[in-house]
Amino acid sequence: LCLKNFANHSIVVACTLLEKCGRWLYVNQKSRIRCKKMLDRMMLLRSKRFLDQEKRDLIENAYNASMPSQRAAMIPEKERPTLQKYILFLVRQELANCHSESEARVLLKRLRKLPWDEQCR
């Protein structure tokens, strides 16, 4: 709807939407094609219509915020030892899923049992 009426307030709404959740829409398999078409259409409208510099910058920023950079895809993931991967798993995923104090205590007990020596650093 915002792209059909590509006027002042519609540009701001479309760009704000893409800046805030465009990356998720682009990465999600169900909405990737639609998001890519929307981004391409915005860039086409930007080049064909006469817009002030503020609107052009809004569109450019929304496009850059939505599209994953090629550089980020080229950076390899850091190789970590198995124990360090397990610790990160416990802290990031298991701790986030703890819904009670008893579950958190069990998790802390598992963390305390790990060999905390110089090899973990």
Side-chain angles (χ1 to χ4, degrees):
L1 184 65
C2 290
L3 294 179
K4 288 181 183 176
N5 179 19
F6 206 60
N8 291 331
H9 67 284
S10 298
I11 295 171
V12 175
V13 170
C15 290
T16 303
L17 173 75
L18 287 173
E19 280 183 11
K20 299 302 177 190
C21 55
R23 176 71 54 104
W24 182 84
L25 290 171
Y26 188 80
V27 172
N28 188 355
Q29 292 297 326
K30 292 181 180 179
S31 61
R32 179 185 209 124
I33 296 170
R34 194 170 197 178
C35 182
K36 178 71 173 145
K37 286 180 182 178
M38 184 176 173
L39 289 167
D40 290 342
R41 178 160 169 120
M42 278 183 61
M43 294 304 280
L44 181 70
L45 289 171
R46 187 195 87 170
S47 64
K48 288 193 173 188
R49 294 203 178 172
F50 178 74
L51 300 170
D52 60 341
Q53 189 62 39
E54 180 185 0
K55 300 293 189 274
R56 294 175 74 81
D57 289 342
L58 274 174
I59 295 169
E60 189 72 31
N61 288 339
Y63 184 83
N64 290 334
S66 299
M67 297 291 286
S69 67
Q70 299 297 331
R71 184 171 176 232
M74 293 171 45
I75 298 173
E77 186 176 325
K78 183 178 177 182
E79 190 60 37
R80 300 179 188 271
T82 309
L83 184 61
Q84 194 174 18
K85 288 180 186 178
Y86 180 65
I87 293 169
L88 289 173
F89 166 76
L90 288 176
V91 172
R92 291 180 181 164
Q93 293 178 352
E94 293 292 317
L95 188 59
N97 294 330
C98 287
H99 299 293
S100 67
E101 189 175 327
S102 62
E103 290 177 357
R105 288 179 195 261
V106 170
L107 179 64
L108 286 174
K109 197 173 192 179
R110 286 168 51 190
L111 283 169
R112 285 188 197 124
K113 287 183 179 180
L114 294 173
W116 293 101
D117 57 359
E118 291 298 319
Q119 294 176 356
C120 294
R121 295 181 187 179

